[in-house]
Amino acid sequence: MTPTYSPNDDDPSTKSAPKSGLLEGRNMPCFEALLLRSRPHDPIRTAIVHPCDEHSLHGALQSRAETLIVPVLVGPRPRIEAVAAEAGIDLTGIEIEDAPHSHAAAERAVELVREGKVEALMKGALHTDEIMGAVVHSKTGLRTERRMSHVFVLDVSRYPRPLLVTDAAINIFPDLETKADIIRNAIALAQSLGIDVPKVAILSAVETVTEKIPSTVEAAALCKMADRGQIKGGALDGPLAFDNAISPEAVASKGIVSPVAGQADVLIAPDLEAGNMIAKQLTYLAGAGSAGLVLGARVPIMLTSRADGVIARVMSAALAQLYVRNRQGALPGTLAKPIAED
């Protein structure tokens, strides 16, 4: 199956030529389409939190070269400049907010958001709990009415559209209301990517509801919440096993009638362990391109791994730019509500 995804083909924002050869020679047509979609839009001011290694600086500077972000480097200036000099990275014209260590960098980056000086955060060379600790602080953090969750966006060579997988990084054992917010966050991101009505598959081990598998009962409840208007903007179905969510052949063989089955845009995992394994299996076994965001805070957070390469960082920046501009109403054909109003 050859990927054919092209968000909103009648949208002039997808007609520009790629700006660089970042994805040249790679089979990532979905990511290419998303980069094209980002072209007409202004870059977002982004705090790069503690970019004290070569990967962090390269990712930030390449995202800047793609006109996705305007980086603000937040961390110890001497260390940042030393890493840049050793790696041959030119920091001319790059704003640096001096902070003595990683914890201070995370706190200052959050302050920059609260001051209205940056529109997104990108994780650098620090632990996830350091940046997220500052983000979730009850008094000085970036919480909203929405529960925060992480969304992977994968470019799988044998799947004809971007595949969103959630939650694989934040919520370990989400309850029903948390899963509802996980779905709301994923729908908002999918719409930012040009998927007007995302098809959301709520996963379990089987496609029938049984009290012996609690995730099937929750899937049914979430679908009824969508029927009642408690979850808006997407087409939901579940429970669905993984094969029934993404394989038209599996759907046909089981006689499933569904607007979602076999063509899902979004996979909702029953818990973090399942979501994490799905995303990593597709990345490491199927060779999928991977990017992702934490949503539900005041601004999107690019929670890349310290081991992630430039493509993952740049594509996460593309997701963040599209998400921010969509919320501001800058993208055609999609919703643009502030997150706390959904």
Side-chain angles (χ1 to χ4, degrees):
M1 188 161 28
T2 301
T4 58
Y5 168 73
S6 180
N8 289 1
D9 286 335
D10 57 348
D11 176 2
S13 71
T14 65
K15 304 302 182 183
S16 305
K19 183 159 189 164
S20 77
L22 178 71
L23 301 178
E24 187 175 352
R26 299 176 182 272
N27 185 21
M28 296 183 179
C30 296
F31 279 4
E32 289 176 359
L34 294 178
L35 279 180
L36 288 176
R37 183 172 174 80
S38 76
R39 292 292 171 244
H41 306 292
D42 292 335
I44 54 175
R45 282 181 58 83
T46 301
I48 317 300
V49 187
H50 202 254
C52 293
D53 67 354
E54 185 175 343
H55 288 304
S56 301
L57 286 178
H58 268 309
L61 271 293
Q62 186 63 46
S63 298
R64 179 196 188 215
E66 298 286 339
T67 65
L68 299 168
I69 69 171
V70 176
V72 179
L73 309 182
V74 185
R77 180 185 290 270
R79 284 189 63 187
I80 293 171
E81 292 177 341
V83 170
E86 184 177 349
I89 298 173
D90 183 6
L91 296 182
T92 302
I94 305 297
E95 183 178 346
I96 300 178
E97 282 271 343
D98 197 11
H101 47 70
S102 57
H103 277 86
E107 291 169 359
R108 179 56 186 148
V110 168
E111 285 178 358
L112 290 173
V113 174
R114 295 177 66 90
E115 293 168 4
K117 295 180 179 178
V118 299
E119 301 168 278
L121 301 178
M122 178 184 282
K123 176 175 171 284
L126 77 170
H127 292 291
T128 295
D129 58 359
E130 291 181 276
I131 184 171
M132 291 307 297
V135 167
V136 303
H137 192 281
S138 59
K139 294 182 179 179
T140 60
L142 304 177
R143 290 180 180 272
T144 69
E145 296 175 4
R146 181 76 59 81
R147 183 67 177 255
M148 294 181 206
S149 61
H150 183 272
V151 186
F152 274 111
V153 178
L154 304 173
D155 189 335
V156 186
S157 62
R158 295 189 62 189
Y159 201 63
R161 57 183 62 83
L163 189 62
L164 282 65
V165 178
T166 185
D167 181 350
I170 299 292
N171 297 286
I172 300 174
F173 296 113
D175 58 18
L176 182 66
E177 190 51 49
T178 300
K179 285 185 177 180
D181 271 350
I182 287 171
I183 293 171
R184 294 178 183 116
N185 288 338
I187 288 172
L189 179 57
Q191 290 175 328
S192 299
L193 307 186
I195 306 168
D196 293 335
V197 183
K199 299 177 178 66
V200 180
I202 307 167
L203 298 182
S204 186
V206 295
E207 67 276 7
T208 54
V209 178
T210 170
E211 64 179 354
K212 295 179 180 179
I213 306 179
S215 60
T216 67
V217 179
E218 289 190 343
L222 290 163
C223 291
K224 183 52 65 176
M225 290 173 72
D227 290 343
R228 295 289 186 264
Q230 293 172 264
I231 301 172
K232 300 178 181 179
L236 276 61
D237 196 10
L240 290 170
F242 182 85
D243 57 341
N244 302 328
I246 56 92
S247 170
E249 293 79 13
V251 171
S253 68
K254 293 191 177 182
I256 299 172
V257 178
S258 164
V260 173
Q263 52 184 335
D265 300 302
V266 181
L267 303 181
I268 305 298
D271 55 40
L272 181 145
E273 292 171 314
N276 193 277
M277 284 186 277
I278 291 169
K280 289 184 177 176
Q281 285 168 355
L282 290 171
T283 300
Y284 288 96
L285 285 178
S290 174
L293 295 178
V294 172
L295 302 175
R298 291 192 186 186
V299 298
I301 303 162
M302 292 158 254
L303 203 64
T304 50
S305 165
R306 285 179 289 175
D308 280 337
V310 170
I311 290 177
R313 295 171 190 271
V314 171
M315 291 310 305
S316 295
L319 299 179
Q321 185 225 38
L322 289 169
Y323 181 77
V324 168
R325 295 295 174 242
N326 182 52
R327 289 175 65 190
Q328 294 171 342
L331 301 183
T334 49
L335 299 180
K337 293 182 181 178
I339 201 164
E341 294 182 6
D342 280 343

